[in-house]
Amino acid sequence: MKTYLVTGGAGFIGANFVKYMLKTYSDIRIVVLDALTYAGNLATIEADIDNGRCIFVKGDICDRDLVERLFAEYDFNYVVNFAAESHVDRSIENPQLFLVTNILGTQNILDAARKVWVTGRDDKGYPTWRDDVRFHQVSTDEVYGSLGKTGYFTETTPLDPRSPYSASKTSADLFVKAYNETYKMPVTITRCSNNYGPYHFPEKLIPLIIKNILEGKSLPVYGDGSNVRDWLYVEDHCKAIDMVVNGGRIGEVYNVGGHNERRNIQIVKTIIKTIRRLMTENPAYRKHLKKRETGVDGQLSVEWINDGLITFVKDRLGHDRRYAIDPAKITNELGWKPDTDFEIGIVKTVRWYLDNQPWVEQIVEGDYVNYYERMYVGR
């Protein structure tokens, strides 16, 4: 039985990866290490934790003693590193936090793996490694910077981060590459476009817009909403990571994109239309509306759910104009391609949030309220 260490496994993409792997394989064991900060929620994976196939450990990837103890106890075959401070706005507020977690934390895990995975030295003095191990770094297309109106990021695009967040992820990627070059450590890296889907923390665009509509609040959109992102359904991303971990070439980077470029304002308008349509087709969903306007039919009105809710706010500092990924390498080498069209995925996502409001209400308590006020109100 292969054992995975999944760091950040209670966060959005990490939790979806845990669920995907447990559903796909019956002969693996997963140890989730998560500090349960603002973006980690134990309730997301609580049903998956059985202390057999899935074990949860609360802790920080910067805690050297803890990480080394886990490697000694569980004899990991694979590390999949999702753990990171991940929101650009938060990185503008507190850059140093991103350096500590995203760079020093990644290096700490790399070092712990090196200590137990090395089996000796070759005739040139390089470490030799177990043949059943790999370190996989989950990265982002933001390390490439910003695109113009045309073109795509490829794996050979120069790294050009524009925010403290993307700079910290770039540095982490380079440390992973350096461990491969210096120590011959078996590593792989994936760089993905914007993910969406279930269990997304409500400070990100899609779940934020859903939440605000249900609460009858304005919908904040940075600048004029023309920034373009390539959207990838989260389960398609999980499938790609699995394929790279188990079949990708050691030392290689693989870009994972969804072929779903959309301007931010398009995303917001699509969500508005989707929520209104779903609530028209299924009036039971209207119970989640905090705005209690009664329509002519005697039911809660959805007429006010329209583009008039959109409010443009001061643009983010250093806001990249466009991201778009060319995933040809992972498609050609491993046969991966996204299975979920955006038009289908966005409906699945909105429906999931409507069906899982208790999860949303639990996660937005406390720090999130203060954070939202700082980021959007009055800008």
Side-chain angles (χ1 to χ4, degrees):
M1 176 179 285
K2 302 290 187 181
T3 301
Y4 288 71
L5 172 62
V6 178
T7 66
F12 168 45
I13 306 176
N16 276 281
F17 180 75
V18 169
K19 292 175 183 295
Y20 174 84
M21 295 297 287
L22 292 173
K23 177 178 67 176
T24 304
Y25 300 99
S26 61
D27 59 345
I28 65 169
R29 177 174 61 168
I30 294 176
V31 177
V32 175
L33 174 62
D34 199 296
L36 298 181
T37 59
Y38 62 90
N41 182 13
L42 186 59
T44 305
I45 57 169
E46 200 163 21
D48 303 297
I49 300 168
D50 60 4
N51 294 319
R53 295 187 66 221
C54 186
I55 299 161
F56 177 78
V57 178
K58 184 178 186 296
D60 193 327
I61 60 172
C62 295
D63 185 338
R64 180 173 294 272
D65 290 340
L66 171 62
V67 172
E68 290 183 352
R69 187 169 74 248
L70 292 177
F71 270 88
E73 182 175 353
Y74 291 105
D75 190 27
F76 299 120
N77 302 100
Y78 305 110
V79 174
V80 184
N81 184 31
F82 292 95
E85 297 286 342
S86 64
H87 197 274
V88 175
D89 289 339
R90 288 182 186 261
S91 79
I92 294 170
E93 277 201 314
N94 186 358
Q96 190 173 66
L97 177 62
F98 284 66
L99 271 65
V100 171
T101 300
N102 298 359
I103 302 173
L104 298 181
T106 298
Q107 189 274 333
N108 188 45
I109 306 169
L110 286 164
D111 233 27
R114 182 170 66 93
K115 289 178 180 179
V116 298
W117 285 353
V118 169
T119 59
R121 299 274 176 175
D122 64 16
D123 54 6
K124 295 182 179 180
Y126 286 111
T128 55
W129 298 78
R130 287 171 47 181
D131 60 7
D132 62 343
V133 296
R134 181 171 301 199
F135 185 102
H136 181 78
Q137 174 74 359
V138 181
S139 188
T140 169
D141 57 359
E142 294 191 42
V143 301
Y144 296 122
S146 184
L147 283 169
K149 293 183 179 179
T150 61
Y152 297 91
F153 294 136
T154 70
E155 289 81 2
T156 60
T157 299
L159 303 180
D160 186 25
R162 307 293 184 89
S163 70
Y165 162 64
S166 57
S168 69
K169 290 295 289 185
T170 301
S171 183
D173 285 8
L174 293 177
F175 264 97
V176 174
K177 293 284 286 183
Y179 270 63
N180 173 249
E181 293 290 339
T182 304
Y183 306 114
K184 305 305 177 187
M185 187 175 195
V187 307
T188 44
I189 298 171
T190 48
R191 294 175 180 149
C192 68
S193 56
N194 279 37
N195 280 220
Y196 70 102
Y199 302 107
H200 208 173
F201 191 68
E203 69 183 4
K204 299 301 179 89
L205 178 63
I206 289 176
L208 172 66
I209 296 304
I210 296 171
K211 177 179 179 294
N212 277 23
I213 291 174
L214 297 183
E215 294 181 354
K217 295 180 178 178
S218 63
L219 310 181
V221 177
Y222 281 129
D224 61 2
S226 64
N227 301 75
V228 175
R229 298 294 182 262
D230 175 21
W231 292 91
L232 173 68
Y233 192 65
V234 65
E235 188 166 278
D236 290 337
H237 184 200
C238 295
K239 176 182 174 183
I241 294 171
D242 176 30
M243 294 175 78
V244 171
V245 170
N246 285 285
R249 288 183 290 134
I250 288 175
E252 292 294 314
V253 174
Y254 293 88
N255 284 348
V256 186
H259 286 305
N260 279 308
E261 284 188 63
R262 298 288 191 283
R263 290 181 296 125
N264 286 348
I265 192 65
Q266 289 177 279
I267 298 294
V268 174
K269 290 183 177 181
T270 297
I271 296 170
I272 291 170
K273 291 178 182 178
T274 302
I275 289 181
R276 182 164 171 166
R277 178 176 65 80
L278 290 176
M279 288 191 170
T280 299
E281 295 172 354
N282 184 359
Y285 280 139
R286 301 184 196 186
K287 68 183 179 182
H288 299 306
L289 293 173
K290 304 297 191 297
K291 188 172 181 178
R292 318 300 286 185
E293 287 188 3
T294 303
V296 294
D297 58 359
Q299 299 191 65
L300 288 178
S301 173
V302 296
E303 297 301 313
W304 57 270
I305 303 177
N306 56 55
D307 294 354
L309 292 171
I310 296 171
T311 300
F312 295 99
V313 299
K314 184 180 178 181
D315 205 358
R316 168 193 290 162
L317 297 175
H319 199 179
D320 294 335
R321 296 300 295 176
R322 175 175 172 260
Y323 303 145
I325 272 185
D326 178 3
K329 180 176 177 179
I330 190 173
T331 299
N332 294 336
E333 290 192 15
L334 302 176
W336 177 89
K337 62 180 181 179
D339 295 325
T340 310
D341 292 334
F342 183 79
E343 290 73 18
I344 295 173
I346 193 64
V347 174
K348 290 172 64 175
T349 299
V350 171
R351 196 185 299 276
W352 185 89
Y353 277 92
L354 293 177
D355 289 335
N356 291 273
Q357 278 300 294
W359 180 89
V360 178
E361 291 168 1
Q362 179 193 49
I363 204 171
V364 299
E365 295 176 354
D367 176 63
Y368 174 80
V369 176
N370 297 327
Y371 169 78
Y372 180 86
E373 294 289 330
R374 293 197 307 272
M375 286 298 99
Y376 298 113
V377 175
R379 295 186 64 166

